Amino acid sequence: MAATLKDATAIVGIGQTPFAKRLPASEKELACRAILAALADAGIAPGEVDAFASYTMEETDEVEVAKAIGAGDVTFFSKVGYGGGGSCATVGHLAAAIATGQATVGVAWRSRKRGSGPRPWKNTAVQLPTPGQWTRPFGLLRPADEIGMLARRYMHEYGATRDHLFNVAMACRNRANENPAAMMYERPLTREMYMTSRMISDPLCLFDNCLETDGALACVVVSAERARDCRHKPVYVHSAAQGLPSQHHGMVNYWNDDPLSGPAWTAARHLWKQADFGPADVDVAQIYDAFTPLIPLSLEGYGFCGRGEGAAFTEGGALEIGGRLPINTGGGGLSEAYVHGFNLINEGVKQLRGTSTAQVPDAATCLVTAGEGVPTSAILLRA
Amino acid sequence: MTTAPGADELQLLLPVPDEDGAPFWEYAARGELRVQACTSCGRLRFPPRPCCPHCGSFESEWRLMSGRGRIWSYVLPHPPLLPAYAAQAPYNVILVELSDAPHIRLAGNLVASADAPLDSVDPSRLRIGAQVQVVFTETGGMTVPRWIPGKS
């Protein structure tokens, strides 16, 4: 019998800074604040930390973090590529390291000043050779343009409409309206606002795009055994997976034989194979939402419905509290904060602790996903 | 405070070929649309790369395409955009599925004629499945393919 990650580790601490369009603190300071908050939440001293995981796009590296927070000797560190695709893999890497005895207390984090910092797509020079030479000169400049291309095709093939995308934006906004920490707290969205808002990359309008945010988040992972002595109810890492499909091309997956079958499908196969339960048993989901069309595509990829059925799935309040699959209960990237999806991980933990601002009654299982449209990752959490 | 864009900011981005992509742009400069093909198993591949994902061969050739295709999808970008693109927005970016090789899809722009602006075709004329034909235009010392409406 091969070793398994199943419930061998748990998330025992979560922390975050405020989210805002502009925060005065540096990314390094925000990272340290989030990490120390997560360790305090767990009741674990910084000197016990011996593992770190973050994203390759994280600009505060583990050397800086370790010395700033006063970590002990660090025996495992890892960085995951592809921007938002790395979020859940940070937890997966820590879980694997701890389950195999390479470390005992792991911290994953993401700190980002995207609200007040430069837009990464403006730095075209480094992107121009590959694959930018095939797209950028023609004015396909931003992530919204790249995903808008897939969204238009998806709408054409499966009869998805802007109303379906609105359902996604609305579910996230409704949850943010209940979450005082969210950027869009007390800022309701209406269908009229959505339908009359300015286009960013037609067919995607302003409200189909995530929020530019300054902020940081972190979580603490330890063994299941250690978790029993921590301050809060453990939230077990039940299954973890990454996904880079055959002949995948990143955000511009146009050259794949099947461009609408993205990395979610690959991650999902491994995720469910390792799990004791399936999509029908998921109580609540935190699905990466840099753009609204990623939700129907992910619903299909992770098996909540069939191919082409993701848009129709959003109808009838399915994504709202009390619906078939409540999603992004903190507000998600669309309405809580866009910190490369790390807020989705912490919100999953809150749901399984029973402390979310939009609590799904008796939630015991939660799917958290990373960026669809790039090599991705996902975790299944259980109480 | 706003600053007027400099002359180079008003230029569209130019392709920066890498080693694998260079032949595509060299053929484009001659007015030819060519796609990399494996000389061992014959399969076409795009974007270009050193070896064939099907048979592993490092030998390849560049096969001439008819230049006909259909719109697979499109977007209409609006600002905020880089200055040169903002000046023409909303423009179109289309993804063209080549008639000769249905899984080779090239990003480009549907324009009224080779040298016309990126917004020279009324967006209401854009339609998935519409036939298009390649044309070439020179800009800043590089030749890039563009697309004009094809016969249907």
Side-chain angles (χ1 to χ4, degrees), chain A residues 130 137-139 142 149 254-255, chain B residues 18 73-74 80 85 91 105 109:
Chain A
T130 295
F138 307 108
R142 306 161 300 181
M149 191 74 87
Y254 314 139
W255 307 296
Chain B
D18 61 359
S73 189
Y74 64 95
Y85 293 87
Y91 54 90
R105 304 182 186 98
N109 308 104

Side-chain angles (χ1 to χ4, degrees), chain A residues 17-381:
Chain A
T17 67
F19 304 128
K21 190 88 179 167
R22 183 175 297 271
L23 294 173
S26 69
E27 286 186 351
K28 194 198 296 187
E29 179 181 332
L30 294 173
C32 293
R33 287 187 181 280
I35 290 168
L36 288 173
L39 287 164
D41 185 58
I44 293 176
E48 288 196 62
V49 174
D50 56 8
F52 287 104
S54 195
Y55 308 53
T56 57
M57 287 191 183
E58 174 60 41
E59 291 185 18
T60 305
D61 69 32
E62 51 277 329
V63 171
E64 293 301 313
V65 168
K67 72 183 174 193
I69 67 162
D73 287 345
V74 175
T75 56
F76 179 90
F77 38 94
S78 155
K79 291 224 167 178
V80 187
Y82 309 103
S87 62
C88 293
T90 62
V91 173
H93 287 203
L94 291 178
I98 291 164
T100 53
Q102 297 177 73
T104 58
V105 175
V107 166
W109 86 97
R110 181 75 173 105
S111 174
R112 201 167 193 225
K113 293 188 74 170
R114 173 75 175 265
S116 59
R119 302 287 181 272
W121 55 266
K122 284 199 171 180
N123 184 10
T124 51
V126 296
Q127 306 167 350
L128 275 172
T130 295
Q133 65 185 309
W134 311 113
T135 56
R136 295 285 186 262
F138 307 108
L140 201 71
L141 302 174
R142 306 161 300 181
D145 305 318
E146 296 170 331
I147 296 299
M149 191 74 87
L150 291 175
R152 170 102 54 199
R153 182 69 193 191
Y154 180 77
M155 294 162 95
H156 172 81
E157 277 195 30
Y158 298 117
T161 64
R162 291 193 66 212
D163 267 306
H164 290 121
L165 302 182
F166 167 68
N167 291 341
V168 172
M170 187 67 176
C172 292
R173 183 62 68 93
N174 286 341
R175 299 296 80 72
N177 291 161
E178 299 167 295
N179 174 8
M183 301 264 285
M184 291 296 163
Y185 180 56
E186 291 183 332
R187 292 179 67 181
L189 176 69
T190 65
R191 184 175 181 280
E192 191 195 354
M193 284 164 69
Y194 178 89
M195 289 298 170
T196 57
S197 71
R198 64 190 172 92
M199 285 289 169
I200 299 297
S201 195
D202 187 342
L204 302 184
C205 73
L206 180 65
F207 296 113
D208 293 310
N209 290 263
C210 59
L211 304 169
E212 303 292 2
T213 306
D214 284 7
L217 299 109
C219 73
V220 181
V221 181
V222 299
S223 71
E225 191 178 25
R226 172 74 188 267
R228 288 193 276 276
D229 301 328
C230 290
R231 192 166 285 165
H232 294 283
K233 187 169 86 170
V235 170
Y236 295 98
V237 180
H238 183 69
S239 179
Q242 291 181 260
L244 195 178
S246 176
Q247 294 298 306
H248 175 69
H249 299 275
M251 296 284 285
V252 286
N253 197 36
Y254 314 139
W255 307 296
N256 193 293
D257 282 354
D258 186 1
L260 296 178
S261 162
W265 295 76
T266 302
R269 271 193 294 276
H270 185 76
L271 193 74
W272 296 124
K273 196 171 75 183
Q274 304 295 319
D276 288 344
F277 54 91
D281 308 304
V282 170
D283 296 326
V284 58
Q286 316 296 336
I287 302 180
Y288 196 91
D289 58 344
F291 305 100
T292 54
L294 301 184
I295 300 294
L297 289 169
S298 297
L299 289 170
E300 296 173 17
Y302 286 99
F304 293 100
C305 57
R307 175 76 188 258
E309 296 173 357
F313 187 99
T314 69
E315 294 169 2
L319 307 180
E320 306 281 344
I321 299 294
R324 193 168 157 197
L325 184 71
I327 65 157
N328 301 5
T329 44
L334 288 165
S335 281
E336 183 187 26
Y338 185 62
V339 192
H340 261 160
F342 210 104
N343 53 322
L344 299 172
I345 298 171
N346 283 14
E347 176 60 24
V349 173
K350 290 174 195 172
Q351 279 289 344
L352 300 190
R353 286 179 175 182
T355 60
S356 171
T357 50
Q359 186 61 44
V360 171
D362 304 320
T365 56
C366 180
L367 167 71
V368 187
T369 78
E372 170 66 349
V374 288
T376 194
S377 54
I379 48 176
L380 275 176
L381 302 176

Side-chain angles (χ1 to χ4, degrees), chain A residues 4-20:
Chain A
T4 169
L5 283 189
K6 192 186 295 177
D7 304 331
T9 62
I11 299 176
V12 293
I14 52 174
Q16 68 188 54
T17 67
F19 304 128

